[in-house]
Amino acid sequence: MNRIQVSRLFLLLGCLLVSTALFAADNRASFDFDAKLGYHNDSNVGIADLDTNSGSADAARTYGIALKAALPVTRRLVSRFGYDYEDTAYQELSAFDLGLHHVFAELAWKTSLLDAGINVEKFQAQLDGDNYLDLVQVTPSVSRLIGNRVFLRGAYTQADKQYADLPGRDATSDAFRADLYMLIDNMDRYIAVGLQNSEEDTVDPAFDYDALRWNMTYGHTFALASRDMKLKASVSHEGRTYANQDEAIGDNRQDKRLRFRIGANWQVFEHFGVTANIEHLDIRSNLESAALDKTIVGLGINATF
């Protein structure tokens, strides 16, 4: 998908959202505001997307804000849109400071048989204050809830990447994804499994690859001191096979990316909560510079209105 096509799709979806705001049959819109402040320690600061890491640990201050709105158009059609920003600033390794803008627009349609939707997103990343990456992706999806026990979802995503200083890495990608959620105890617990097949085509053929990714998640919500405690644990694995021989190794590059994450969110007061998480990322590759082993431990507070 080229830039002109993406711009037209954003414009079309934006016009639809504006028109729903003006002419909705049920104009009871909902608005949400979230803010968070945190601290984390990274055992090996780097940018996995660029196959670079410092080999050093550092601590970082993080903060984020998010604005979201939902507006029913009819009983079955809902429009959603929003903006969020996340910022990470390291104490010593400021070259890896990352700011991420994200804007999205979505239309969701419910029928008696299934739900359907289309989501358009744009991400803009800044590295140490300079533009680093623009990513636009479009995702149509279908889903179905079966008897309040099983939730199925299928999606297709087409994405376009533009790097500010690395034009050889500019790329388009296609991904097909399927997810299965098993809902337990009136949705207080769930187990989710997902499978995704993707293909990325870059300006520099050295970075073309096919990937197969699976993931598994367990979520559990329960009361702690009369307040909701949400726990979530996940594991994912992605295998990448690059289409062309890498000159540095004289062979086709192959990556295996394993990620574990455990997180907790305790809503201490009505609008305020505390979070904690630990994440481990292990990337094994026959290209030495792409190998990465890191653990991130984080604490934070969040406010929701």
Side-chain angles (χ1 to χ4, degrees):
M1 178 176 291
N2 60 41
R3 286 289 177 178
I4 295 177
Q5 291 174 315
V6 169
S7 299
R8 287 176 177 171
L9 186 55
F10 256 114
L11 180 61
L12 175 61
L13 197 52
C15 290
L16 287 172
L17 294 177
V18 171
S19 66
T20 61
L22 295 174
F23 304 110
D26 181 355
N27 61 0
R28 290 174 295 178
S30 64
F31 299 90
D32 295 299
F33 170 75
D34 299 307
K36 59 184 179 181
L37 178 65
Y39 172 92
H40 77 228
N41 187 275
D42 188 333
S43 68
N44 189 351
V45 179
I47 305 293
D49 190 43
L50 298 181
D51 304 327
T52 63
N53 62 84
S54 65
S56 301
D58 199 3
R61 177 269 303 150
T62 64
Y63 73 85
I65 58 171
L67 298 167
K68 300 177 183 179
L71 181 65
V73 183
T74 67
R75 187 169 61 89
R76 296 185 179 275
L77 184 64
V78 177
S79 61
R80 301 185 182 94
F81 41 94
Y83 165 79
D84 57 81
Y85 175 75
E86 293 189 5
D87 186 271
T88 301
Y90 288 95
Q91 292 182 352
E92 302 292 340
L93 301 171
S94 61
F96 294 95
D97 289 354
L98 186 65
L100 183 62
H101 299 270
H102 170 227
V103 62
F104 75 90
E106 179 184 15
L107 285 175
W109 180 47
K110 293 181 177 292
T111 72
S112 57
L113 181 62
L114 51 78
D115 297 342
I118 182 168
N119 183 285
V120 182
E121 299 175 276
K122 180 174 181 179
F123 299 85
Q124 184 183 68
Q126 295 175 326
L127 194 60
D128 195 21
D130 296 323
N131 287 340
Y132 150 54
L133 171 66
D134 285 316
L135 169 63
V136 176
Q137 63 183 33
V138 180
T139 304
S141 64
V142 293
S143 60
R144 178 173 171 81
L145 178 63
I146 303 174
N148 293 324
R149 296 296 300 272
V150 176
F151 180 75
L152 301 172
R153 181 178 184 270
Y156 165 73
T157 297
Q158 188 174 56
D160 180 78
K161 293 181 181 179
Q162 299 280 333
Y163 289 88
D165 299 318
L166 298 167
R169 285 183 176 262
D170 291 352
T172 58
S173 65
D174 299 274
F176 295 89
R177 181 181 176 97
D179 293 282
L180 165 66
Y181 290 78
M182 292 168 282
L183 309 175
I184 308 167
D185 295 340
N186 295 319
M187 303 186 188
D188 286 339
R189 291 187 291 150
Y190 71 89
I191 298 172
V193 292
L195 185 66
Q196 176 175 295
N197 179 262
S198 60
E199 179 180 290
E200 184 156 298
D201 182 18
T202 59
V203 172
D204 184 346
F207 299 108
D208 292 353
Y209 69 81
D210 296 323
L212 183 65
R213 180 178 183 270
W214 62 262
N215 64 275
M216 181 176 293
T217 303
Y218 173 75
H220 191 180
T221 299
F222 60 94
L224 180 63
S226 301
R227 295 290 182 180
D228 280 350
M229 168 68 85
K230 296 181 179 180
L231 303 178
K232 185 163 73 171
S234 63
V235 57
S236 67
H237 180 273
E238 180 182 80
R240 292 186 180 182
T241 300
Y242 286 75
N244 298 291
Q245 188 177 96
D246 191 297
E247 294 181 359
I249 57 178
D251 197 358
N252 290 49
R253 175 180 161 184
Q254 295 193 16
D255 294 354
K256 294 182 178 180
R257 302 182 172 215
L258 183 64
R259 186 189 300 267
F260 297 94
R261 192 177 191 278
I262 299 175
N265 185 334
W266 185 31
Q267 203 67 20
V268 182
F269 302 107
E270 182 179 359
H271 296 290
F272 296 90
V274 295
T275 62
N277 61 79
I278 181 170
E279 180 177 347
H280 182 73
L281 175 62
D282 182 14
I283 301 178
R284 301 186 181 186
S285 175
N286 55 353
L287 178 64
E288 185 176 354
S289 62
L292 178 64
D293 188 279
K294 66 187 299 179
T295 300
I296 300 175
V297 179
L299 295 171
I301 58 175
N302 61 275
T304 303
F305 298 95

